Amino acid sequence: MPVAIRQTTADQGVLAWDPAAGLVRFVRDIVVETTVPPAGRIRQAVRSRLVQHMELIRELAPGCR
């Protein structure tokens, strides 16, 4: 049974770059929100929210700069 849904995705991030060493840090947040309205056999609306947080930190050894 096909069901129509509505889904939105928000993605934002921050990148830190060192000219000599390259990528130093990257932080990213992704939020996906889904809504299924009541229709047919679905009697009550369904909502879900998924949040993903990622953080990458490069540890530079002494003398790498």
Side-chain angles (χ1 to χ4, degrees):
M1 166 175 109
V3 177
I5 67 167
R6 181 175 186 182
Q7 189 171 66
T8 60
T9 304
D11 186 342
Q12 67 180 34
V14 176
L15 180 105
W17 188 268
D18 182 284
L23 180 65
V24 177
R25 184 172 189 232
F26 181 57
V27 178
R28 183 179 183 193
D29 292 305
I30 302 171
V31 179
V32 180
E33 294 181 315
T34 304
T35 302
V36 181
R41 292 185 171 177
I42 300 172
R43 296 182 183 165
Q44 185 175 351
V46 178
R47 293 186 346 177
S48 71
R49 185 171 194 253
L50 171 69
V51 179
Q52 182 179 26
H53 175 78
M54 295 174 281
E55 190 166 347
L56 172 72
I57 300 172
R58 180 175 176 190
E59 296 183 7
L60 299 174
C64 285
R65 287 185 161 229

